[in-house]
Amino acid sequence: MENREQVLGLLGTLSESVWSASALSAAVEAGFVEALAAPATAAEIGARTDAPTVLVERVLDVLVALGVVRRTGDRFEATPGLATFQNPNGIDYLKADLRALLLQSGAFNSAAKRRQLEIGWRFTDPEILQAQGTLSKAATEMISKLMVPNLEGLADRLAGPDAALLDVGCGAAGFAISVAEAYPTLKVVGLEPAPAPLAEARRNVEAAGLGDRVEVRNITVQALADKDAFDLAWLPQMFLPRAVFAEGLRTVRAALRPGGWLLTASMGVPGEGLKPALARLRATLWGNTEAPDAEAVLAEVRAAGFEPAMIAPGPPNAIIRPIVGRRPL
Ligand SMILES: C[S@@+](CC[C@H](N)C(=O)[O-])C[C@H]1O[C@@H](n2cnc3c(N)ncnc32)[C@H](O)[C@@H]1O
């Protein structure tokens, strides 16, 4: 940028993005989105959600400008896209996504302000841990739709009587719980070394009534000593320093049954420009300073003795790319 005005212009653009996310988050948190199930005026929504009418109108005008809400006269309604989230799971997902964005980026900034920037996903705030857990539930659908039908032998194994899955770094156990719910005979072992997410995980497993099928162990992946025990293992490369990932590939390979599958992922996007730079920043903040791209992670998976191994198709537009590898039969 050549001059001061350009910098000020950029600040203006950034301010629009942050306030847009805040307005959408407020609409979800305050119940406006649920109240938009049928066309309603700002006064009606304000009465239903106990919010000042004028503020409801201002927030909804922003959502109209963003294209997620429609306005006809003085009535607002959800667009068909937003309407797909107007159910308890959809609302939970929106809340979690926006909380993860606003709280994690807020925490990044407070750490910078305190001069205590650090690498690694080390959150202790229950709201952040729970939000990440809710977002992780989406992985179950992705795995069921995109992985299980395409990875040899996996569908039969996961439906079998002694099906077993390993979830490394299970956090608040959002993924562990949702995958156990999706596969009724599946036993899940989650590894979680950090005390705060461990406590959330144990509470969530108990609340879901899954204590007999989801076990949460207070160990690192490096300390995993199980042999020939799991049909599928999730080893999230982007939350682990490189040396830990390499060691994890070794312990997880031994813990898989012959023919069992490893699922990992990359959040490193090569190249220049904002999207790749932001992806690499987040990958590094989450734990892997090298932010390797999918090809580099695939090479490590192959070198660790997984065969076949490949980059798998993932959800469209996602910056996270899944990589799979099989422990040979
Ligand atoms: C983003 S969280 C996972 C969220 C989780 N999928 C959920 O459903 O809530 C990543 C977790 O990996 C854990 N972790 C970090 N290093 C680890 C290691 N060496 N072994 C196992 N877990 C580790 C962290 O403590 C953190 O809770």
Side-chain angles (χ1 to χ4, degrees), residues 1 3-15:
M1 278 179 194
N3 59 50
R4 182 181 163 82
E5 279 61 42
Q6 286 172 318
V7 176
L8 292 174
L10 171 66
L11 290 178
T13 308
L14 297 181
S15 156

Short mmCIF file of all heavy atoms in Angstrom, two decimals, residues 1 3-15:
data_model
loop_
_atom_site.label_atom_id
_atom_site.label_comp_id
_atom_site.label_asym_id
_atom_site.label_seq_id
_atom_site.Cartn_x
_atom_site.Cartn_y
_atom_site.Cartn_z
N MET A 1 0.83 -1.20 0.00
CA MET A 1 0.00 0.00 0.00
C MET A 1 0.86 1.25 0.00
O MET A 1 1.81 1.34 0.78
CB MET A 1 -0.91 0.00 1.23
CG MET A 1 -2.13 -0.87 0.98
SD MET A 1 -3.23 -0.94 2.36
CE MET A 1 -4.22 -2.33 1.81
N ASN A 3 -0.23 4.53 0.36
CA ASN A 3 -0.56 5.68 1.20
C ASN A 3 -1.49 5.33 2.35
O ASN A 3 -2.06 4.23 2.40
CB ASN A 3 -1.14 6.81 0.35
CG ASN A 3 -2.39 6.35 -0.37
OD1 ASN A 3 -3.29 5.77 0.26
ND2 ASN A 3 -2.46 6.55 -1.68
N ARG A 4 -1.60 6.29 3.23
CA ARG A 4 -2.38 6.15 4.47
C ARG A 4 -3.85 5.84 4.17
O ARG A 4 -4.48 5.03 4.85
CB ARG A 4 -2.23 7.50 5.19
CG ARG A 4 -2.87 7.61 6.50
CD ARG A 4 -2.64 9.04 7.04
NE ARG A 4 -3.57 9.30 8.12
CZ ARG A 4 -3.37 8.90 9.36
NH1 ARG A 4 -2.26 8.29 9.68
NH2 ARG A 4 -4.28 9.14 10.29
N GLU A 5 -4.38 6.48 3.13
CA GLU A 5 -5.81 6.29 2.81
C GLU A 5 -6.10 4.83 2.49
O GLU A 5 -7.15 4.30 2.82
CB GLU A 5 -6.23 7.18 1.62
CG GLU A 5 -6.52 8.63 2.00
CD GLU A 5 -5.30 9.33 2.60
OE1 GLU A 5 -4.19 9.14 2.07
OE2 GLU A 5 -5.46 10.04 3.61
N GLN A 6 -5.15 4.19 1.81
CA GLN A 6 -5.37 2.78 1.46
C GLN A 6 -5.44 1.91 2.73
O GLN A 6 -6.24 1.00 2.81
CB GLN A 6 -4.25 2.28 0.54
CG GLN A 6 -4.39 2.83 -0.87
CD GLN A 6 -3.17 2.49 -1.71
OE1 GLN A 6 -2.03 2.58 -1.25
NE2 GLN A 6 -3.40 2.09 -2.94
N VAL A 7 -4.58 2.22 3.69
CA VAL A 7 -4.60 1.46 4.94
C VAL A 7 -5.93 1.69 5.65
O VAL A 7 -6.58 0.75 6.13
CB VAL A 7 -3.42 1.85 5.86
CG1 VAL A 7 -3.50 1.14 7.19
CG2 VAL A 7 -2.10 1.56 5.17
N LEU A 8 -6.36 2.96 5.68
CA LEU A 8 -7.65 3.26 6.33
C LEU A 8 -8.80 2.57 5.59
O LEU A 8 -9.74 2.07 6.22
CB LEU A 8 -7.87 4.78 6.39
CG LEU A 8 -6.91 5.52 7.31
CD1 LEU A 8 -7.09 7.05 7.19
CD2 LEU A 8 -7.09 5.09 8.77
N GLY A 9 -8.69 2.50 4.27
CA GLY A 9 -9.73 1.81 3.48
C GLY A 9 -9.78 0.33 3.85
O GLY A 9 -10.86 -0.26 4.00
N LEU A 10 -8.60 -0.26 4.01
CA LEU A 10 -8.54 -1.68 4.40
C LEU A 10 -9.20 -1.87 5.77
O LEU A 10 -9.99 -2.80 5.97
CB LEU A 10 -7.09 -2.16 4.44
CG LEU A 10 -6.88 -3.55 5.03
CD1 LEU A 10 -7.53 -4.62 4.16
CD2 LEU A 10 -5.41 -3.86 5.22
N LEU A 11 -8.89 -0.98 6.71
CA LEU A 11 -9.51 -1.10 8.04
C LEU A 11 -11.04 -1.05 7.92
O LEU A 11 -11.75 -1.79 8.61
CB LEU A 11 -9.01 0.01 8.97
CG LEU A 11 -7.55 -0.09 9.41
CD1 LEU A 11 -7.16 1.10 10.29
CD2 LEU A 11 -7.28 -1.38 10.16
N GLY A 12 -11.52 -0.20 7.03
CA GLY A 12 -12.98 -0.11 6.83
C GLY A 12 -13.54 -1.43 6.32
O GLY A 12 -14.58 -1.91 6.79
N THR A 13 -12.86 -2.04 5.36
CA THR A 13 -13.33 -3.31 4.81
C THR A 13 -13.32 -4.40 5.88
O THR A 13 -14.25 -5.18 6.02
CB THR A 13 -12.40 -3.75 3.64
OG1 THR A 13 -12.32 -2.66 2.74
CG2 THR A 13 -12.92 -4.96 2.92
N LEU A 14 -12.23 -4.45 6.66
CA LEU A 14 -12.13 -5.46 7.72
C LEU A 14 -13.22 -5.26 8.76
O LEU A 14 -13.82 -6.22 9.26
CB LEU A 14 -10.75 -5.38 8.40
CG LEU A 14 -9.55 -5.67 7.51
CD1 LEU A 14 -8.26 -5.58 8.32
CD2 LEU A 14 -9.67 -7.05 6.88
N SER A 15 -13.50 -4.01 9.06
CA SER A 15 -14.53 -3.70 10.04
C SER A 15 -15.89 -4.24 9.56
O SER A 15 -16.66 -4.79 10.34
CB SER A 15 -14.54 -2.19 10.26
OG SER A 15 -15.76 -1.76 10.71
#
